[in-house]
């Protein structure tokens, strides 16, 4: 006779021939909950949102949620003010290898947070840029005047291009009509 394998622990309510029940009623009674495809997709999306809300999906570094499934160089680039070269520089200074963010130890994570805070990032970067532009406007330099007028200030031509900084409400044909009648 062959030796019997020990059975796995079972629910006392589970019968011998009956399969294990899932907690999701959509899987237990599929005919009863026959949903349209769109309703099924929205139910799946709601279930995914609930699953994401239960578990933390990223790590917070420098007031930014950094994804934990990407490698560190790409994760750090999610922080405003840190690009490719800065991310590599941070990792070289800390002597941390480029691995997925979720594999960081607590000590590595703390040292990474402290190093990132030494750079101008996020809101501090926005405040610094705004103060630089305000200084240019206050001293009434050429660049400051161009900022006030909403025109490009780095020497680009504005006769044909420059729609990004110009008023978009007036089409180019309206300018042509008024200038041709003179």
């Amino acid at each position: 006779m062959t030796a019997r394998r020990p059975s796995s622990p079972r629910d006392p309510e589970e019968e011998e021939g009956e399969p294990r029940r899932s907690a999701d009623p959509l899987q237990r009674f599929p005919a009863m909950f026959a949903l349209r495809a769109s309703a099924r997709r929205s139910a799946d999306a709601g279930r995914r949102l609930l699953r994401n809300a239960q578990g933390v999906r990223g790590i917070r570094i420098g007031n930014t949620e950094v994804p934990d499934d990407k490698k560190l160089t790409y994760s750090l680039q999610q922080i405003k003010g840190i690009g490719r070269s800065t991310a590599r520089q941070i990792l070289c200074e800390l002597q941390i290898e480029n691995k997925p963010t979720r594999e960081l130890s607590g000590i590595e994570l703390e040292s990474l947070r402290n190093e990132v805070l030494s750079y101008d990032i996020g809101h501090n970067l926005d405040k610094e840029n705004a103060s630089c532009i305000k200084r240019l406007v206050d001293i009434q330099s050429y660049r400051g005047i161009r900022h006030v007028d909403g025109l490009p200030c780095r020497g680009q031509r504005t006769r044909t291009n420059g729609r990004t900084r110009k008023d978009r409400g007036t089409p180019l044909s309206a300018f042509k009509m008024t200038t041709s009648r003179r």
Side-chain angles (χ1 to χ4, degrees):
M1 228 172 153
T2 60
R4 285 184 55 183
R5 270 198 277 168
S7 62
S8 62
R10 285 189 251 167
D11 263 345
E13 300 173 353
E14 187 179 343
E15 295 292 324
E16 183 64 30
E18 192 175 324
R20 187 174 181 92
R21 293 181 185 171
S22 69
D24 190 8
L26 286 175
Q27 291 176 355
R28 282 180 30 203
F29 306 108
M32 189 172 156
F33 293 101
L35 301 173
R36 289 192 332 260
S38 60
R40 198 174 320 118
R41 277 193 299 271
S42 64
D44 290 342
R47 208 174 294 120
R48 277 194 305 269
L49 283 173
L50 195 97
R51 205 176 312 134
N52 290 345
Q54 291 170 349
V56 177
R57 298 246 354 204
I59 296 172
R60 198 145 185 87
I61 299 174
N63 267 349
T64 307
E65 193 76 19
V66 173
D68 62 351
D69 56 339
K70 295 182 179 178
K71 291 201 171 197
L72 275 171
T73 50
Y74 298 112
S75 295
L76 289 175
Q77 290 178 43
Q78 299 293 318
I79 301 171
K80 184 173 184 174
I82 294 182
R84 264 187 284 180
S85 61
T86 311
R88 285 191 206 121
Q89 182 181 354
I90 289 171
L91 292 181
C92 286
E93 286 176 5
L94 296 176
Q95 297 175 346
I96 297 175
E97 65 182 66
N98 190 16
K99 56 186 174 183
T101 311
R102 69 173 154 260
E103 294 177 7
L104 285 174
S105 67
I107 297 168
E108 290 174 333
L109 186 60
E110 279 304 311
S111 63
L112 186 66
R113 283 183 178 142
N114 292 335
E115 183 67 28
V116 166
L117 288 178
S118 67
Y119 290 89
D120 285 333
I121 56 168
H123 186 65
N124 294 336
L125 183 65
D126 292 337
K127 284 190 337 188
E128 187 176 328
N129 285 343
S131 67
C132 288
I133 292 172
K134 185 180 180 311
R135 182 184 60 83
L136 291 172
V137 169
D138 289 344
I139 64 174
Q140 292 188 343
S141 68
Y142 176 79
R143 284 176 53 203
I145 292 168
R146 299 294 276 188
H147 273 289
V148 170
D149 292 342
L151 294 169
C153 54
R154 292 187 177 178
Q156 297 94 329
R157 68 180 290 145
T158 56
R159 182 174 178 177
T160 56
N161 292 330
R163 285 275 155 228
T164 304
R165 292 286 303 202
K166 279 188 174 181
D167 184 15
R168 293 178 189 228
T170 313
L172 192 59
S173 59
F175 285 120
K176 288 183 180 176
M177 289 178 66
T178 56
T179 56
S180 63
R181 291 186 181 169
R182 287 185 189 176

